[in-house]
Structure formats: structure tokens, C-alpha cells
Amino acid sequence: MQKKKAGMPNRESWETLWINVNIATMVESDTDYGAIFNGALAVSKGKIVWLGTMDELAVINYSSKQILDGKGKWLTPGLIDCHTHIIYGGNRANEFEMRLQGKTYEEIAFAGGGILSTVAATRSASEQALLASAKPRLMALHKEGVTTVEIKSGYGLNLETEIKMLKVAQLLEKELPVTIKKTFLGAHAIPIEFQNNSQGYINEVCHNILPAIAEYKLADAVDVFCENIGFTLDETKQVFEVAKKLNLPVKIHAEQLSNMKGSELASTYNALSADHLEHLCEEGVKAMCNAKMTAVLLPGAYYFLRETQLPPIELFRHYQVPIAIATDSNPGSSPITSIQLMLNMACTLFKLTPFEALAGVTVNAAKVLGIADKKGKIAIGYDADIACWNIEQPAQLAYQFGVNPLTVLMKAGQVVI
Ligand code: NIG
Ligand code: FE
């Protein structure tokens, strides 16, 4: 440690300094966004190295290569979309029309459409074609301030195509300045070659596909669709057991269409999250609380499937289960690539406060991806993934939809938009 000589304070030397900004730090606080008004923030080597008020900055001896004058705008952490399925072939506009004529999502799935129709299109698409169709989806999220995205596999349902999807996810990270977290969702549906033999497919996932994915280090987590049109509790458990042996954290699509108690099962594996949750009961919320899980709510799927059963928001608040919000962007239940729309829908459909909605795509979304120690907040030592918004108060991020208020996006300390 260098000693400071009296009267000669060390000179701070920074790469980039934001001045005249209001900062929604999202550092632990219940309602006020952890706000710093009339603040400043310094960045070096991709990290946040200083933050405080302009008055505090005024008494510091510093230099900065670059100064960004925010002129009263707001900074938030770069947004995190913690649940997506943006890599897939084809589209399901025909099923959308069928649903409008009265068929349900479940009926379409049981008749061999739904996820399986996307599986067919994804299997026949080349890696290049999947990359080309996923890139504009990722770009749409990025342009709205997203700097980290989780992408699931699950439209391959065989080793070759699951690998293809996860490789495309890896490639996307090279194409755009967005951190990608990859999730293996091999247990998403029962592929045609295992029709009426779900145990046969689960054996394939457990003994062949998942171990290979883990060996190639293609996944950061393992997800299962536990549902009447997906997998049973027992089948989900078998996949979780293998994930545990492979040291991969788990998460679950649960309680979307019925209450199968998937979230409770996931809690016994200390899952990162349970997602959807419209049909979750109080026991399930308690189990999630005890296991320190995060509830991922997906208002886009609720809206697009015209669901009416609301997730148990009051119980999440009561038991202090953190709530994350994500797009669930996928061709069947949420063909939406707007995180800003999700902020709005989280409030209008689920009655979250604008603060809870923003926490849902920052600090709580980071928990879901196991990166809460470096992303999702504006704090010293955190990654300098920062969005600058032309708004007067943070609630505007959820209040309006259609005009994109993003003015600057910084990723790892570099201005990328
Ligand atoms: O999160 N619920 C399961 N999986 C997706 C939908 C997949 C699809 O319909 O293609 C979801 O809603
Ligand atoms: Fe999903």
C-alpha cells in the first residue's frame, strides 16, 4: 500500500467518467431504485471504479480519458433478459391463427404441433440459418438496453441439434456485445422418435445428451419443462439428478398451465429459479423462499396465450421471493423481443410496481443467471454494463412503450450504442 502524503492526495486516473447523471444503482433498497441524484460514475478496465454525487466528485483529484456528460439523464444497469428461446427455425404464425379460431396451446401441442413443429424446423435449419434468424432477435433486445441474455436450447431434442443450437448461442456472443448464458433444455418436449416413450427419451437425455453437453461445456445451467404437455415430476427429477452430478445448476419451467409442484421439486435441488408460475400455490412459494430461489415471471407468454390465472405476486412479496421478469422470447408462447414491453406488461398485467419491474430485469435477473456478484447493479467492482436513458424518472421505463428512450449503451466499459 502506497502511503498518501499529507496535502497530496492520490490522483485517480480513469478511462471514462459519466457526469451529471442520475443513477438507479438498484443496490438493495425496497422502492427508491438506490438512486443517486446529480451523480457521477467512473469506469476503468471494464469495471465501475467510482461513483458518487457531483459534489463528491468535485473534491477528488482525478483525470479521465473520456468524459460523457449525461445532462440529467438516468443510468441503470444494462438490462438482463434471463429467460429466452431466441434460437429456432421457422415460425408458428399458423398456430397463432388456429388459437384465434378456438384451439388451445395444449390441444395444438398434443396434436403434434407446438414445440415439435419448431423442432422439425430447427433440425432442418443450418447453423448459419439459425444464426441469421436469431441475430435480429438479439439485436432487438440489445437496442432496448439489454447487455446480458440467457438462451435455451430445446428445439433440437437430439444431440446433434441441441449442440447446434448451443453453438449458435456461442457464436451470437461474438456477433454482438451481449453476454450470453446458455441453458440446456433437452427436456422440453418428447421428440417424434420417442413418441409414447417419454422414459426412453429421458434416458437419452440423462445418459447421452446431457453428459455430452456438459463435457463440451456448452451449458451454464439445465432446465426442464415440467408440465402436462412436458415432463412429469419424476422425469424432471431424473434430469436434475444428472445435472447435479455434473455440477450444473438447475431451473424449471413450472406451474405454467397446471400445478404439478415442479417448483417444490426444484427447491430441493437449490434451483436458481422457477419460471412462469401462474398456477403456483403457497406451499410452492414457501419452498422457493426457503431455497432462496427467484421467481421468473413471463408476462409475454401470459399475454400471448391469453391466460387469466395470475401468478401469486402477493405471496412472492410476503415471502420475499425475488421476482425477475423476462421476455421468454420463443415462436409459440411469446414471439416477442421487447424487454421494454415486458417492463410495461409486468406492471399492467401483473401489477408490479415500476421499481419491481426494473429490479426484475437487473438485480433479480442477475441472481437467476448466477452472476449477481458482477452484473445487475451499479456498484464499485461491478461490470460496467450501463444503459443511459432519456427519462426524467425511472418509472418512465415501465410507463411508456413505443418510443425507445435508450441514448447510450455501455458494455464492459465500451460505448456500443
Ligand atoms: O417458455 N413452456 C415451454 N416452453 C416455452 C414455449 C415453447 C414453445 O411453445 O415453443 C415457454 O413458454
Ligand atoms: Fe420458456
Side-chain angles (χ1 to χ4, degrees):
M1 274 286 274
Q2 236 185 328
K3 272 194 186 156
K4 237 193 221 177
K5 283 185 201 150
M8 279 189 66
N10 284 343
R11 190 172 167 86
E12 304 281 356
S13 139
W14 297 320
E15 284 172 18
T16 302
L17 174 66
W18 286 90
I19 57 167
N20 299 320
V21 281
N22 299 308
I23 309 172
T25 66
M26 305 311 282
V27 170
E28 259 36 271
S29 110
D30 277 344
T31 51
D32 69 355
Y33 301 88
I36 298 174
F37 294 94
N38 198 18
L41 181 159
V43 171
S44 281
K45 297 196 175 105
K47 302 276 179 196
I48 296 164
V49 292
W50 187 89
L51 82 158
T53 62
M54 288 299 286
D55 287 348
E56 286 162 343
L57 180 70
V59 296
I60 291 184
N61 183 9
Y62 69 85
S63 68
S64 182
K65 284 187 200 142
Q66 176 179 224
I67 293 185
L68 302 173
D69 186 348
K71 298 185 177 154
K73 297 188 185 73
W74 277 84
L75 301 185
T76 68
L79 307 186
I80 301 172
D81 191 351
C82 69
H83 179 143
T84 85
H85 312 244
I86 57 171
I87 297 172
Y88 58 84
N91 72 77
R92 306 231 293 275
N94 58 332
E95 294 182 6
F96 177 51
E97 290 181 308
M98 284 160 73
R99 283 199 299 108
L100 292 172
Q101 282 156 16
K103 287 254 180 300
T104 67
Y105 183 66
E106 281 116 310
E107 281 164 356
I108 293 168
F110 280 129
I115 294 171
L116 289 186
S117 69
T118 300
V119 169
T122 306
R123 284 180 177 180
S124 64
S126 67
E127 196 174 291
Q128 278 315 308
L130 289 178
L131 184 65
S133 60
K135 193 174 163 184
R137 294 178 196 126
L138 184 62
M139 182 54 107
L141 292 168
H142 184 55
K143 280 188 175 157
E144 289 195 351
V146 171
T147 48
T148 300
V149 173
E150 184 253 24
I151 303 177
K152 300 175 197 291
S153 69
Y155 292 122
L157 311 186
N158 60 27
L159 181 59
E160 185 195 339
T161 319
E162 290 291 305
I163 287 179
K164 182 170 69 179
M165 289 187 72
L166 293 167
K167 280 201 172 149
V168 171
Q170 260 177 351
L171 290 173
L172 279 170
E173 197 165 36
K174 300 202 177 83
E175 298 267 327
L176 291 170
V178 177
T179 299
I180 306 285
K181 288 284 173 185
K182 302 183 293 302
T183 298
F184 173 69
L185 177 57
H188 195 195
I190 300 153
I192 194 106
E193 56 279 16
F194 285 92
Q195 204 174 20
N196 301 320
N197 180 15
S198 59
Q199 185 55 51
Y201 179 58
I202 287 293
N203 290 343
E204 175 67 9
V205 167
C206 291
H207 301 138
N208 295 326
I209 309 180
L210 177 48
I213 297 288
E215 191 188 326
Y216 303 146
K217 299 202 183 325
L218 280 170
D220 304 296
V222 173
D223 196 345
V224 174
F225 183 27
C226 181
E227 191 51 75
N228 50 33
I229 57 167
F231 294 89
T232 64
L233 265 190
D234 178 60
E235 290 161 348
T236 304
K237 189 170 177 185
Q238 294 177 52
V239 178
F240 283 179
E241 278 299 317
V242 177
K244 188 171 157 185
K245 287 201 188 87
L246 295 168
N247 274 325
L248 284 167
V250 300
K251 53 176 82 173
I252 189 164
H253 279 71
E255 279 68 82
Q256 179 187 10
L257 308 167
S258 62
N259 186 4
M260 306 241 311
K261 311 259 171 168
S263 307
E264 276 174 62
L265 172 73
S267 75
T268 65
Y269 289 86
N270 291 316
L272 291 164
S273 67
D275 304 36
H276 285 286
L277 304 178
E278 281 84 346
H279 294 262
L280 185 68
C281 63
E282 184 160 4
E283 287 312 303
V285 179
K286 277 191 206 164
M288 288 181 67
C289 163
N290 291 335
K292 299 200 167 15
M293 287 166 67
T294 297
V296 179
L297 303 186
L298 306 168
Y302 174 90
Y303 152 83
F304 194 68
L305 296 181
R306 301 173 57 100
E307 297 292 348
T308 50
Q309 168 86 30
L310 283 166
I313 310 287
E314 267 316 319
L315 289 173
F316 292 137
R317 289 184 179 130
H318 178 77
Y319 288 100
Q320 298 188 332
V321 172
I323 299 173
I325 299 294
T327 61
D328 193 19
S329 182
N330 77 71
S333 67
S334 186
I336 297 172
T337 49
S338 171
I339 199 85
Q340 289 177 13
L341 180 58
M342 294 307 104
L343 288 172
N344 179 268
M345 285 186 175
C347 300
T348 53
L349 300 178
F350 293 168
K351 297 199 187 119
L352 261 58
T353 65
F355 168 71
E356 287 172 322
L358 187 61
V361 297
T362 54
V363 56
N364 292 344
K367 288 180 189 156
V368 173
L369 301 183
I371 51 174
D373 56 338
K374 46 179 179 273
K375 292 190 191 293
K377 287 182 199 174
I378 293 186
I380 290 175
Y382 272 60
D383 292 352
D385 293 358
I386 295 167
C388 178
W389 308 95
N390 187 15
I391 52 175
E392 285 161 24
Q393 51 186 6
Q396 274 175 269
L397 292 175
Y399 151 78
Q400 66 182 359
F401 175 72
V403 174
N404 182 358
L406 185 77
T407 59
V408 178
L409 189 61
M410 180 174 257
K411 174 69 186 163
Q414 303 297 318
V415 172
V416 292
I417 290 183

